[in-house]
Amino acid sequence: MDKIRIRGGQSLSGTIPIAGAKNAALPLMAACLLSDEELALSNIPHVADIASLAALLAQHGVRVSLNGDDPNQGCQGRVMGLRAETITNTEAPYELVRKMRASILVLGPLLARVGKARVSLPGGCAIGTRPVDLHLKALEQLGATIEIDEGYINAFAPEDGLKGAHITFPFVSVGATENLLMAACLAQGETVLSNVAREPEITDLAECLIAMGAQISGLGTDRLTIQGCEKLHGAHHKVLPDRIETGTYMIAAAITDGHIELTNTRYDLVEALCDKLIEAGVPVSETETGVLVERHHGKLTGIDVMTEPYPGFPTDLQAQFMTLMTKAQGAAMITESIFENRFMHVPELARMGARINVHGSSAMVRGTKTLKGAPVMATDLRASVSLILAGLASSGETIVNRVYHLDRGYERLEEKLAACGAEIERLKE
Ligand code: UD1
């Protein structure tokens, strides 16, 4: 298993191009199952989760092609072609689904297009139990029959297909919104989805579906209305920039007293983080192609943050922000309201000298002037990158073990940071 070695203490300065959003690309790829024509997706990031979903789609019968795949160009110009002319297999096996929970996103499209699907239950993961009950209940409201058997979801649509319905989600779920949005496009009649997630990745998916011929209104609001149709056609769509990658490097600039411009991205995607950074004393501004963070030894103040569904502060930036707060003056209270077990990074940060006490869903962080490098263990995607950030801001050497978690969601992380002056390298094993 690869490791990453960092010798911390450098102030980072430079420009980092941001990749397409993994969490937008995954549902967009699943949307190809809704049409027998080709869906071409540009700005596809170079990350392992994309390869995992491509493998799953291929075994459903999707022809997957990749053009412009030059690793030195990052994701710029990388176009994935997905053509689901014939669905040859409706089973998503455990071996593939357990690797990546987002595989559940094939359920709605398969059910809508071919009337049946057998998808492994994803199981829990490092950050919580993460059930999929909302997805299943809502698909049943569209007329599906669902049974759980031997760890698999067996789902069947009525003979004449799924039927539009009015569905109110009991709480906000990104994945359930995406699954239902896709399924409703091929259901008969009108579907109204209320209390939906409003993440930009959902709007990106809706825009792509519209380009494929779907009729959807209410984009960006908590209520989506879909007029079902018989067929969707091919389309070309550019994946929106990755707001979590953007935010992670913004925090890298802030924690190293640095100066980094993030390009190919958008300020509005990271506004909740910008507001919090500014409140903590970090200067952030919008540029023509993205965001600029320039700190240069200004005061960093401890502030409180609570994660919430979009447009609130994203749970996927919680671990990184907590790492920043370990170096702030005064105390910060970080509250995680989305996942029940998302403080796995705390004991690892403590090994580097961070002072953090967890009380239920909140963590009290007391800032310290010095963090010290140490060998640490990555536990999930965002926890791993928070340890990288801590390593950049520590004295001495940090070794981050189990970096395969990082490779799921960050494209060329070492190269991007090294280009800004970080002493960081991958140790291959
Ligand atoms: C997506 C993102 C993930 C992000 C999360 C929250 C992708 C591929 N992943 O995950 O990076 O951290 O949104 O912004 O886009 N829940 C249920 N039952 C369900 C569905 C969800 O109880 O049927 C719970 C979850 O356990 C969690 C909360 O609802 O506590 C929110 O989860 P959800 O928004 O569904 O997250 P994902 O779509 O899995």
Side-chain angles (χ1 to χ4, degrees):
M1 271 184 270
D2 291 1
K3 297 173 181 176
I4 286 184
R5 177 162 62 202
I6 300 164
R7 285 195 190 83
Q10 283 76 29
S11 191
L12 301 189
S13 127
T15 301
I16 298 183
I18 295 302
K22 165 182 89 73
N23 285 355
L26 295 171
L28 287 165
M29 288 168 67
C32 81
L33 293 167
L34 294 167
S35 169
D36 59 4
E37 295 178 18
E38 179 166 284
L39 176 62
L41 298 172
S42 57
N43 206 27
I44 285 274
H46 263 276
V47 295
D49 274 7
I50 298 295
S52 300
L53 187 59
L56 178 63
L57 292 171
Q59 66 88 53
H60 289 310
V62 177
R63 270 196 282 142
V64 184
S65 62
L66 207 47
N67 296 313
D69 188 20
D70 174 356
N72 297 320
Q73 297 284 310
C75 63
Q76 296 302 298
R78 188 166 130 109
V79 181
M80 183 175 272
L82 299 143
R83 191 184 179 112
E85 197 168 351
T86 319
I87 308 278
T88 52
N89 171 21
T90 52
E91 178 166 327
Y94 178 62
E95 301 77 66
L96 293 175
V97 177
R98 90 187 150 86
K99 269 202 206 164
M100 190 189 48
R101 299 181 47 84
S103 309
I104 190 75
L105 293 171
V106 301
L107 178 62
L110 283 176
L111 200 52
R113 167 101 179 267
V114 286
K116 62 175 186 167
R118 180 172 153 84
V119 178
S120 169
L121 275 168
C125 72
I127 61 174
T129 51
R130 301 185 79 177
V132 290
D133 54 324
L134 258 55
H135 302 235
L136 305 188
K137 280 190 195 125
L139 288 169
E140 281 175 340
Q141 286 179 266
L142 294 185
T145 309
I146 294 179
E147 301 158 6
I148 306 292
D149 181 37
E150 297 176 333
Y152 276 76
I153 303 158
N154 292 317
F156 300 92
E159 231 159 66
D160 53 347
L162 296 175
K163 306 226 165 29
H166 287 224
I167 297 168
T168 303
F169 290 106
F171 55 90
V172 171
S173 160
V174 174
T177 302
E178 292 165 344
N179 238 334
L180 268 290
L181 176 60
M182 290 189 278
C185 288
L186 293 186
Q188 287 173 40
E190 181 177 272
T191 298
V192 180
L193 302 174
S194 301
N195 198 25
V196 296
R198 289 184 285 157
E199 268 63 4
E201 293 75 20
I202 289 170
T203 303
D204 207 38
L205 172 64
E207 282 169 354
C208 176
L209 292 167
I210 291 170
M212 293 169 75
Q215 289 181 44
I216 306 169
S217 60
L219 273 61
T221 73
D222 65 356
R223 191 179 156 101
L224 293 168
T225 304
I226 304 110
Q227 308 295 340
C229 55
E230 260 181 33
K231 235 173 141 17
L232 293 186
H233 51 72
H236 176 266
H237 181 82
K238 182 175 177 191
V239 179
L240 99 166
D242 195 316
R243 63 197 168 96
I244 306 302
E245 189 195 23
T246 307
T248 300
Y249 293 129
M250 288 170 69
I251 294 173
I255 203 169
T256 63
D257 269 322
H259 175 126
I260 302 184
E261 184 176 355
L262 294 323
T263 57
N264 305 340
T265 186
R266 291 187 351 231
Y267 188 95
D268 64 288
L269 294 173
V270 281
E271 206 156 340
L273 172 66
C274 293
D275 291 349
K276 286 293 171 185
L277 285 174
I278 292 166
E279 190 183 332
V282 178
V284 178
S285 53
E286 184 171 4
T287 64
E288 243 171 58
T289 54
V291 187
L292 176 68
V293 179
E294 41 182 347
R295 188 163 149 237
H296 298 311
H297 306 290
K299 189 177 167 200
L300 180 67
T301 310
I303 57 159
D304 297 347
V305 164
M306 174 146 87
T307 64
E308 282 170 311
Y310 191 84
F313 191 93
T315 172
D316 286 353
L317 285 172
Q318 179 258 109
Q320 300 91 311
F321 199 83
M322 188 186 294
T323 304
L324 177 65
M325 290 294 98
T326 64
K327 304 252 337 187
Q329 286 179 32
M333 172 89 91
I334 313 279
T335 303
E336 172 58 57
S337 78
I338 311 284
F339 292 108
E340 71 267 31
N341 188 22
R342 209 168 195 184
F343 288 140
M344 304 283 280
H345 43 286
V346 170
E348 301 301 309
L349 290 173
R351 302 191 63 248
M352 302 173 77
R355 301 187 302 162
I356 308 170
N357 287 314
V358 174
H359 304 279
S361 60
S362 293
M364 174 65 82
V365 186
R366 290 185 177 80
T368 171
K369 281 214 172 80
T370 48
L371 292 178
K372 216 162 162 217
V376 286
M377 187 78 83
T379 49
D380 71 68
L381 173 55
R382 309 304 172 185
S384 326
V385 89
S386 75
L387 301 176
I388 300 277
L389 294 174
L392 294 171
S394 295
S395 59
E397 182 176 283
T398 295
I399 305 269
V400 181
N401 291 286
R402 299 201 179 160
V403 296
Y404 59 85
H405 290 293
L406 269 181
D407 295 335
R408 287 189 41 212
Y410 288 90
E411 166 185 301
R412 300 183 302 118
L413 173 113
E414 318 88 270
E415 277 174 52
K416 289 185 180 187
L417 288 170
C420 293
E423 276 193 45
I424 180 168
E425 63 178 330
R426 180 176 291 249
L427 308 174
K428 293 256 178 211
E429 286 204 354

